Amino acid sequence: MKIAIDLRPLQVGHQDRGIGSYILNILKEIPTENIEYIILRYSKSDPVKDYSINFGKEYKDVVVVHNKFGRSPKELILYIKDLMFPVHNKLRMYRPNIYIQFDYLFGAPRLLNCKTYVVAYDLIPFKLKNLYLPSWKKFIYFRQLRIRSRLRQSVRAFFYEHKYRKALKFLRRANGVISISNSTTKDLIEIAKVKSKNINTIYLAASFRESEKDLFLRDIIKNLVDDIDGNFITFIGGTDKRRQVTELISA
């Protein structure tokens, strides 16, 4: 059996967040016998080596260029090209039987005789569109910015919206979707219109890392907590607006 796994989510910031922990914990437990793995990654780094992931025998490596949304016309054109016309020719050549995607925004190519499985953590951008997916028209009339900046932000918003629309279509056509909670499962059915029979709800579990870096950070946190005199609140998570950290501090 040939299994293709997209490791690009470990190269765009997820590696330092919950999604990264989820991916690395899953990859620690994958079977290695009688399976040939095909890895998809960006050229800027190698997650397999960076995180000592064991795929058993030698695996196939498919490397793609990462074109970010930039300021120059060339960077913008390359970003749009990759978004509209992703290339997976080398991946097709290996003919995987299963494609595993840990971030639905990356989607997956349509491969002959290949089943696609994707993990869905939440659909927050679709539930909070004003915060995460503002209309491109909003920036056109944003007088505080220069015309060039307004155009750039409008183009960015337009193609972000296109990217998320493609993501919804990908969720609907996937052979199986792994949801991490009942809430996410409900959103997949109501918002993404995914068929309930294609969804498996598998809850997250605690993990305890024992690397030298993790133990070092754990000691620092313990010392900081021990020095606190009196009651305190611990908040673990991102600081983006929807988490309302300022409201927590105020309360």
Side-chain angles (χ1 to χ4, degrees), residues 108-174:
R110 295 178 183 271
L111 302 172
L112 189 64
N113 298 322
C114 179
K115 292 186 176 181
T116 302
Y117 296 91
V118 57
V119 180
Y121 310 91
D122 60 61
L123 270 69
I124 288 172
F126 300 102
K127 300 182 75 172
L128 302 174
K129 283 189 175 181
N130 289 336
L131 192 60
Y132 290 95
L133 294 173
S135 170
W136 62 272
K137 298 176 183 178
K138 173 183 176 181
F139 297 99
I140 291 291
Y141 303 105
F142 199 68
R143 303 294 182 183
Q144 290 88 334
L145 295 176
R146 295 180 179 178
I147 293 178
R148 186 175 178 180
S149 296
R150 277 188 256 168
L151 288 173
R152 187 169 64 248
Q153 292 299 329
S154 296
V155 171
R156 183 189 182 106
F158 177 83
F159 281 100
Y160 257 63
E161 188 177 352
H162 171 77
K163 183 178 182 179
Y164 276 90
R165 282 202 304 268
K166 283 185 65 176
L168 287 181
K169 292 180 181 178
F170 168 55
L171 285 169
R172 285 194 287 268
R173 72 175 172 84

Side-chain angles (χ1 to χ4, degrees), residues 1 30-37 55-57:
M1 179 181 287
I30 58 171
T32 56
E33 294 185 5
N34 302 319
I35 295 177
E36 181 180 337
Y37 285 100
F55 288 108
K57 61 182 180 180

Side-chain angles (χ1 to χ4, degrees), residues 156-202:
R156 183 189 182 106
F158 177 83
F159 281 100
Y160 257 63
E161 188 177 352
H162 171 77
K163 183 178 182 179
Y164 276 90
R165 282 202 304 268
K166 283 185 65 176
L168 287 181
K169 292 180 181 178
F170 168 55
L171 285 169
R172 285 194 287 268
R173 72 175 172 84
N175 295 95
V177 180
I178 298 173
S179 166
I180 66 165
S181 70
N182 289 330
S183 177
T184 298
T185 297
K186 181 182 177 183
D187 290 340
L188 284 167
I189 296 171
E190 295 179 355
I191 298 174
K193 307 302 179 185
V194 178
K195 294 180 180 178
S196 58
K197 67 178 182 180
N198 291 343
I199 305 173
N200 282 296
T201 306
I202 304 175

Side-chain angles (χ1 to χ4, degrees), residues 216-235:
F216 175 69
L217 292 173
R218 199 176 300 173
D219 286 339
I220 291 178
I221 294 171
K222 184 180 183 303
N223 292 333
L224 289 171
V225 170
D226 289 342
D227 289 339
I228 297 175
D229 184 20
N231 298 326
F232 62 91
I233 294 175
T234 301
F235 174 80

Side-chain angles (χ1 to χ4, degrees), residues 58-69:
E58 186 177 349
Y59 58 89
K60 306 300 185 197
D61 201 19
V62 177
V63 182
V64 296
V65 178
H66 186 203
N67 290 310
K68 295 183 178 180
F69 186 94

